[in-house]
């Protein structure tokens, strides 16, 4: 569905920080563990696309989306895609203005969706993720992800 053919980050199981000794063992991890999240890399790449194409996307989409990525039922990552104001923006965290649509998606499901391994409509109808707000705007977000896959 949102298949990315040439810009996918190459991530393997076990990728992450190297063993840096005992100093790292005592360090408090960031609560969202951003650097270890595969979806974080995808969001950063989508953000570059939105910066390049934002003004055109604002004209087509006219909506604010908040994506809450979960792991074991807890939010580990939150991004906002603002395609309603100015030249468009994408940033980590909750929406600064009220979001039109909020998606709550487990990380494995999100990764399957953006890699084109799962149909978004079927996944939603099967209860694999939750949507609140204007559900039909999800189709516009799907188009943004498809455009990103071609970018």
């Amino acid at each position: 569905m949102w298949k990315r053919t040439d810009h996918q980050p190459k991530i393997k199981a076990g990728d992450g920080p190297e063993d840096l000794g005992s100093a790292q063992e005592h360090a408090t991890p960031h609560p969202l563990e951003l650097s270890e999240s595969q979806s974080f890399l995808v969001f950063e790449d989508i953000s570059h696309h939105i910066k390049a194409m934002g003004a055109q996307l604002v004209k087509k989409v006219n909506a604010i989306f908040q994506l809450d990525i979960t792991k074991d039922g807890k939010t580990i990552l939150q991004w906002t895609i603002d395609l309603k104001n100015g030249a468009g923006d994408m940033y980590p965290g909750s929406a600064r203005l009220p979001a039109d649509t909020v998606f709550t998606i487990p990380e494995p499901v999100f990764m399957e969706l953006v890699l084109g391994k799962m149909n978004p409509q079927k996944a939603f109808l099967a209860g694999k993720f939750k949507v609140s707000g204007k559900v039909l705007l999800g189709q516009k977000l799907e188009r943004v992800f498809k455009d990103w896959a071609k970018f």
Side-chain angles (χ1 to χ4, degrees):
M1 175 115 267
W2 299 326
K3 195 166 192 171
R4 182 87 178 178
T5 58
D6 60 337
H7 290 81
Q8 291 179 358
K10 294 190 172 39
I11 303 169
K12 299 177 200 149
D15 277 358
E18 299 290 324
D19 185 9
L20 299 175
S22 62
Q24 186 164 347
E25 292 172 16
H26 298 293
T28 305
H30 189 282
L32 296 180
E33 299 175 3
L34 296 179
S35 63
E36 295 179 18
S37 171
Q38 291 181 356
S39 56
F40 181 78
L41 297 173
V42 170
F43 278 118
E44 281 189 325
D45 199 38
I46 294 170
S47 178
H48 294 298
H49 170 62
I50 288 177
K51 285 179 181 154
M53 307 295 291
Q56 295 172 1
L57 293 171
V58 167
K59 289 177 185 175
K60 290 180 186 178
V61 178
N62 194 32
I64 298 173
F65 302 100
Q66 179 175 307
L67 291 98
D68 298 339
I69 306 301
T70 62
K71 185 174 185 177
D72 301 325
K74 296 180 183 178
T75 300
I76 60 164
L77 191 60
Q78 192 173 56
W79 279 81
T80 299
I81 302 173
D82 182 346
L83 296 175
K84 193 175 210 174
N85 301 294
D89 194 12
M90 183 169 174
Y91 51 88
S94 60
R96 296 175 190 142
L97 298 171
D100 294 299
T101 309
V102 178
F103 297 89
T104 304
I105 310 172
E107 187 175 36
V109 173
F110 176 76
M111 292 304 294
E112 287 187 34
L113 288 169
V114 297
L115 294 175
K117 296 180 180 178
M118 186 182 294
N119 179 294
Q121 287 83 13
K122 289 180 182 177
F124 173 69
L125 293 174
K128 296 199 182 264
F129 65 91
K130 298 177 184 175
V131 180
S132 59
K134 299 177 182 176
V135 177
L136 293 178
L137 286 175
Q139 293 174 339
K140 290 187 177 186
L141 183 61
E142 181 182 356
R143 288 227 175 263
V144 171
F145 287 156
K146 283 181 179 179
D147 289 347
W148 161 75
K150 297 174 190 173
F151 183 67

